[in-house]
Amino acid sequence: MAQETLFLKNTEAFAESLARCGVKYHFAYPITPATDVMKRMAVILPAYGGEMMQMESELAVSSALAGAACTGKLVATSSSGPGLTLMHEAIGFMCAAELPCLLVDSMRVGPGDGDILGAQSDYYVATRGGAHGDYHTIVLAPSSGQEIADIVPTGIKLAYTYRTPVLFVIDGVSAQTTESTTLPAYHDYSAEFDTAGWAFTGTQDHPKRALITGSYSHQDGYDLNEKLRAKYATIREKEQLWEQEQTEDAEIVVVAFGIHGRMCRDLVAKMRAEGKKVGFIRPISLWPFPELAFAGLPDSVKNILVVEMNHGQMVDDVRLAVNGRIPVHFLGKTGGDMPMNTLAEMIAEANRILGE
Amino acid sequence: MENLSAKYGKTLNLDKLTSYCPGCGHGIVTRLVAEAIESLGIMSRTISIVGIGCGGFSHHYMDIDAIEATHGRSPSFAIGYKLARPDNIVFTYAGDGDTCAIGLGDLMHAANKGMPITTIMVNNTVFGMTGGQMSPTTLEGQVTTTTTKGRAVPHQGYPLLVPEMMRAMPGVKYLARESVATPKDVRKAKKSIRKAFECQVKGLGYAFVEVIVPCPTGLKMNVKDSYARCGNEMTDYFKPQVFKDETEQSDVA
Amino acid sequence: MLHKCMFSGSGGQGSALMAKMVCLGAIKENLKVVMTQTYGIEQRGGDSTAYVIVSDEPIGSPIVENDADIAVALSQSIYGNCFAGVVPDGMLFTNSSMVDNPKESDAFKQVFLPVSDTAVQLGTVRCANMVMLGAVLAGTGLLKLETVEEVVRETIGNKKPQLVELNIEALRSGYSAMKKES
Ligand SMILES: Cc1ncc(C[n+]2csc(CCOP(=O)(O)OP(=O)(O)O)c2C)c(N)n1
Ligand code: SF4
Ligand SMILES: [Mg+2]
């Protein structure tokens, strides 16, 4: 496949980007608003010598994903909140087992079966994890079709460098948005990594290997956790990703990811035009959370406004990052015909805080 | 408009006019279930536990308590409920995807436990609600949005025959497959569904009825063709029959 | 360059197709483009609105929030909604074959064209959307006429080649009608 610019739904942009960057096997179970990823994968993967396997549940999806990941090949899945909830057994397992794989969560309104409209309500379950134990999943939040295409290679590199699952999250509104996206030419990014040292391929070229996440001794449990602790510390230190604009002299900084993060560009342009000193930070890696962006904020910043399509989840991480240094405000909404705050509402709230 | 509620009794409530698509098989099965509840006089103690799928709307048309379970788990919800309130009549109602894709494990264990619970599985060979993807009961060669070249048996397997899997379970006391292709089939289905409830009222054990129905929308067919398919391709493979009927046993409850 | 557009119509009028043509044309002209679905009341009933943002720079907010500078109302039932969605100095293109008693506006320019009637004269009312699209191109310079003609050839030509010439004629007649108007 050559590089080309297509007009795609962002779910389809995910499918195209995953396939063009080397994903061979995709496992999934239908759920709105993520089904379009698996539908497109079913059509395009055979041309790449791969296959989309529809499984009977998300539990089976994630277990099949783990099984396939054991081979060292690049594998992926796509789902939405209720499905992601069911996948946590395997996600925790894959973190313990140090298996690379890619997951896409097209977030909808929760809790329970929820509503198929878009939301950002899986921030907690994505970044904190829904399984037991001390583990972390790398979480990346692209905000447009182009960013999906650009960030999938990063996700693959992170998954293989650190041998760990990488979860892409996108709100369902962005997922259903159709836009122009320049897709890369085919390049298998996983081929840049040698998996011969750990993959379970049979003993023809290595002595017996066994994938064991249970501990035979208490020391085993300790050792595994210490190893993971060191790995997560490295990721925290080296892999924070964010976009930041006009914070140098800002009095208020708006923090948002995904679609609201993208809207911040317009917010800052409009408010700066009125002489308001506004900047924004758009976290791209949600775990590791971009704490460095906050450490570098100047003293001019008197307030932070966090905007999310939920009732306040990432706002916790912002508060931890500023550690009481700057007051943190929150604006959020989930569900309804328009399942998010509008740009006008964001600007009004920022102005209200500025006027206080 | 004719007052259908008066015709069908108190259980069926058509005030919330149906959110099913025109010609959807769920409409018929929902009515048959309401009629069975009505005729057995168990309305006020009956609980509907529905799955996620278009059949999840079914309880809106019945004036009975209802629980919308998580996807595929209605049989386990029913086990828990029946244990806590054994005098209530508990039935699950869900599609083929809910019942035998994500919910197959829960279903088989509920059946094997043999507790008096009734399950209605509405098989339209497709995931209707999510827009027509392959389900475990999709026929070989059937085109869906996830099998654009038709279901291929290598890798995608054979259409699942669910009651056949339960046949050997002693705890299952009533077991049937019916269809709604023709008025005659509907009459048979009506009888089976009533028996499946009777089985629970008598406290005999688990009862299961699969009903083969059309989903014109998911199959992208007009209503007439979808009923013809129901009476031909679908029922050629999913053969309607009563596998087991032990409801004539004496009352054990 | 940044244009926020809303294309509204009732069932079968093809407002979504107009939007898609604009999107595909924008890509041909190396512009960025975003299209979003309708939220809120218009979702109900047969009406639909497709929102499109075209820009030569990466697009920020993908949502058109009552700040369209180009709006199209193909039917009566969505006219009010479109009227409310246009910014000062914007343009509202209305299908005068279908809309009676239009409102007056000082803030933005209104163009009234009987595109359904024109379409009937061309052979079928179904190409009213293309007549209107031609007018929008002429009135706003959103995209080049030739670009959209190319899109029509590619998209319609694939499925229904016999309709290509009709649609191109429709585009051109809307284009020249608008040129005469201004
Ligand atoms: C855990 C989870 N996964 C996926 C879904 C999405 N989903 C909703 S209904 C449905 C399938 C419905 O198919 P079926 O049970 O056959 O019912 P039908 O609509 O055909 O009657 C799916 C997969 C969900 N709600 N929850
Ligand atoms: S999609 Fe199919 S199952 Fe669902 S209501 Fe429509 S016809 Fe019935
Ligand atoms: Mg079904």
Side-chain angles (χ1 to χ4, degrees):
Chain A
M1 282 304 152
Q3 176 182 313
E4 59 189 325
T5 301
L6 298 179
F7 182 56
L8 295 173
K9 256 195 194 177
N10 285 333
T11 39
E12 297 168 330
F14 260 118
E16 286 288 343
S17 306
L18 294 171
R20 285 162 186 258
C21 293
V23 169
K24 281 284 166 308
Y25 300 102
H26 191 89
F27 302 90
Y29 183 75
I31 185 163
T32 313
T35 311
D36 289 334
V37 182
M38 72 185 285
K39 276 162 63 180
R40 188 138 181 139
M41 280 305 221
V43 173
I44 64 177
L45 270 184
Y48 296 90
E51 181 173 334
M52 191 287 289
M53 173 74 87
Q54 181 178 329
M55 297 295 289
E56 64 275 17
S57 72
E58 292 87 350
L59 200 58
V61 162
S62 56
S63 304
L65 191 69
C70 288
T71 66
K73 293 193 177 161
L74 180 55
V75 295
T77 184
S78 46
S79 191
S80 184
L84 183 70
T85 296
L86 283 172
M87 291 187 191
H88 276 93
E89 179 181 78
I91 293 175
F93 175 92
M94 288 189 283
C95 287
E98 304 202 78
L99 296 173
C101 70
L102 305 178
L103 304 103
V104 176
D105 177 24
S106 174
M107 295 180 280
R108 66 190 217 179
V109 177
D113 197 49
D115 184 343
I116 57 170
L117 283 184
Q120 294 180 329
S121 49
D122 300 350
Y123 183 91
Y124 276 154
V125 80
T127 58
R128 270 53 177 172
H132 56 280
D134 282 292
Y135 76 94
H136 290 284
T137 313
I138 295 176
V139 183
L140 303 177
S143 64
S144 68
Q146 196 54 55
E147 197 172 16
I148 290 168
D150 296 343
I151 208 169
V152 164
T154 311
I156 297 169
K157 286 181 200 161
L158 290 170
Y160 278 82
T161 303
Y162 296 104
R163 283 180 52 198
T164 196
V166 170
L167 169 61
F168 300 99
V169 295
I170 186 162
D171 64 89
V173 173
S174 296
Q176 306 271 38
T177 294
T178 315
E179 55 188 317
S180 50
T181 298
T182 303
L183 298 162
Y186 177 75
H187 178 79
D188 180 357
Y189 286 87
S190 69
E192 295 167 12
F193 295 87
D194 186 7
T195 59
W198 61 267
F200 300 85
T201 50
T203 52
Q204 69 274 20
D205 54 10
H206 58 254
K208 177 189 164 77
R209 286 176 185 154
L211 189 158
I212 301 167
T213 65
S215 311
Y216 284 110
S217 72
H218 301 317
Q219 187 64 34
D220 287 346
Y222 177 81
D223 291 345
L224 170 66
N225 273 294
E226 285 304 316
K227 186 178 172 203
L228 293 178
R229 189 206 309 245
K231 172 162 93 178
Y232 296 141
T234 310
I235 298 174
R236 271 205 162 111
E237 190 187 306
K238 290 169 64 175
E239 309 296 353
Q240 299 180 19
L241 292 170
W242 72 92
E243 180 189 354
Q244 174 169 6
E245 263 182 44
Q246 310 219 38
T247 52
E248 310 75 38
D249 63 340
E251 285 168 24
I252 183 168
V253 170
V254 182
V255 184
F257 72 100
I259 192 165
H260 278 308
R262 178 177 182 172
M263 288 160 79
C264 280
R265 250 174 266 151
D266 292 6
L267 174 140
V268 167
K270 285 197 175 177
M271 290 184 69
R272 284 268 169 186
E274 292 167 4
K276 310 274 169 59
K277 295 200 164 151
V278 189
F280 77 86
I281 294 174
R282 178 173 69 87
I284 298 171
S285 61
L286 303 184
W287 196 90
F289 189 72
E291 291 159 351
L292 294 171
F294 295 86
L297 286 179
D299 290 341
S300 62
V301 179
K302 297 289 177 256
N303 285 289
I304 288 177
L305 170 63
V306 179
V307 186
E308 299 179 68
M309 289 170 78
N310 59 41
H311 287 179
Q313 299 190 16
M314 182 179 71
V315 65
D316 288 1
D317 282 334
V318 175
R319 289 206 168 102
L320 287 170
V322 300
N323 200 14
R325 223 162 28 94
I326 308 169
V328 176
H329 309 258
F330 177 73
L331 177 70
K333 177 181 172 190
T334 193
D337 279 337
M338 176 69 182
M340 59 191 289
N341 285 109
T342 59
L343 183 60
E345 287 163 347
M346 290 166 69
I347 291 174
E349 184 62 10
N351 274 325
R352 191 190 65 74
I353 295 166
L354 275 175
E356 263 177 7
Chain B
M1 197 201 302
E2 185 188 4
N3 185 343
L4 294 170
S5 294
K7 183 168 161 195
Y8 292 117
K10 274 170 67 184
T11 309
L12 198 66
N13 179 346
L14 295 174
D15 288 350
K16 281 201 178 182
L17 251 185
T18 170
S19 31
Y20 299 140
C21 310
C24 173
H26 274 298
I28 302 173
V29 183
T30 303
R31 172 170 63 81
L32 297 181
V33 168
E35 284 174 358
I37 294 168
E38 183 78 15
S39 69
L40 290 166
I42 52 173
M43 175 178 149
S44 61
R45 64 183 173 118
T46 297
I47 306 295
S48 164
I49 305 188
V50 299
I52 306 289
C54 294
F57 296 127
S58 59
H59 71 84
H60 289 297
Y61 313 120
M62 295 179 224
D63 273 338
I64 57 175
D65 277 1
I67 297 159
E68 292 191 0
T70 48
H71 192 32
R73 311 297 170 215
S74 56
S76 300
F77 274 63
I79 295 281
Y81 188 94
K82 190 76 179 176
L83 188 67
R85 285 186 67 93
D87 294 336
N88 283 93
I89 301 298
V90 185
F91 75 99
T92 71
Y93 182 114
D96 44 301
D98 187 280
T99 311
C100 73
I102 192 166
L104 187 66
D106 294 61
L107 176 74
M108 286 298 152
H109 285 287
N112 192 48
K113 284 188 177 68
M115 279 168 67
I117 287 168
T118 305
T119 288
I120 311 294
M121 163 174 158
V122 184
N123 178 1
N124 53 19
T125 69
V126 77
F127 284 12
M129 174 169 266
T130 43
Q133 297 81 19
M134 178 181 74
S135 108
T137 58
T138 292
L139 295 173
E140 199 177 334
Q142 184 182 326
V143 171
T144 69
T145 58
T146 50
T147 54
T148 49
K149 295 193 172 133
R151 180 180 188 159
V153 162
H155 292 204
Q156 288 161 344
Y158 295 90
L160 204 60
L161 297 165
V162 177
E164 279 84 344
M165 297 167 78
M166 282 182 192
R167 198 189 274 179
M169 294 179 178
V172 179
K173 301 298 183 190
Y174 188 81
L175 184 62
R177 177 185 291 122
E178 301 291 354
S179 111
V180 298
T182 66
K184 195 170 151 214
D185 295 325
V186 174
R187 282 196 292 279
K188 280 198 203 149
K190 176 174 177 160
K191 224 164 148 185
S192 263
I193 290 173
R194 191 190 142 102
K195 284 209 168 182
F197 277 91
E198 234 175 82
C199 182
Q200 182 175 172
V201 172
K202 290 182 176 177
L204 298 174
Y206 192 79
F208 180 92
V209 181
E210 173 183 0
V211 191
I212 308 300
V213 309
C215 164
T217 307
L219 296 161
K220 302 185 174 58
M221 278 183 159
N222 66 41
V223 173
K224 191 159 163 270
D225 291 349
S226 74
Y227 277 81
R229 176 179 183 270
C230 183
N232 296 303
E233 290 105 298
M234 287 173 87
T235 41
D236 280 352
Y237 185 87
F238 297 108
K239 295 208 163 51
Q241 59 198 290
V242 176
F243 296 90
K244 208 194 258 193
D245 181 0
E246 297 174 11
T247 54
E248 299 311 321
Q249 283 180 6
S250 56
D251 206 333
V252 298
Chain C
M1 171 243 194
L2 174 73
H3 285 296
K4 296 192 171 191
C5 322
M6 63 189 289
F7 299 98
S8 294
S10 299
Q13 285 189 310
S15 54
L17 186 65
M18 284 177 82
K20 197 172 167 200
M21 296 281 166
V22 168
C23 293
L24 295 174
I27 290 178
K28 280 195 185 296
E29 295 191 6
N30 282 321
L31 299 165
K32 315 276 182 216
V33 62
V34 177
M35 183 171 86
T36 49
Q37 60 196 72
T38 15
Y39 283 99
I41 1 175
E42 315 126 54
Q43 238 172 352
R44 294 172 205 132
D47 298 340
S48 75
T49 300
Y51 298 97
V52 174
I53 303 177
V54 182
S55 175
D56 52 4
E57 279 177 54
I59 294 166
S61 175
I63 313 271
V64 179
E65 286 178 21
N66 282 334
D67 59 351
D69 61 322
I70 299 175
V72 167
L74 288 177
S75 71
Q76 178 79 54
S77 54
I78 41 74
Y79 174 74
N81 211 22
C82 293
F83 191 90
V86 186
V87 286
D89 300 328
M91 272 179 106
L92 170 57
F93 293 80
T94 299
N95 176 6
S96 56
S97 318
M98 307 285 280
V99 175
D100 305 322
N101 308 322
K103 301 181 204 179
E104 295 210 359
S105 165
D106 303 329
F108 55 84
K109 189 171 172 200
Q110 293 202 80
V111 176
F112 297 95
L113 289 170
V115 292
S116 295
D117 295 323
T118 313
V120 170
Q121 283 158 20
L122 290 170
T124 165
V125 72
R126 304 195 59 156
C127 65
N129 57 345
M130 289 297 138
V131 179
M132 186 59 103
L133 182 52
V136 169
L137 300 180
T140 65
L142 177 63
L143 298 170
K144 292 195 201 74
L145 177 64
E146 304 83 72
T147 313
V148 180
E149 287 185 7
E150 215 178 300
V151 173
V152 166
R153 283 202 181 85
E154 283 168 17
T155 50
I156 302 182
N158 261 340
K159 291 179 199 141
K160 294 175 184 151
Q162 72 279 13
L163 294 182
V164 169
E165 286 318 311
L166 173 67
N167 277 283
I168 287 188
E169 208 186 323
L171 266 178
R172 287 182 185 166
S173 74
Y175 192 89
S176 51
M178 185 64 212
K179 282 281 175 211
K180 260 180 236 149
E181 181 105 340
S182 45

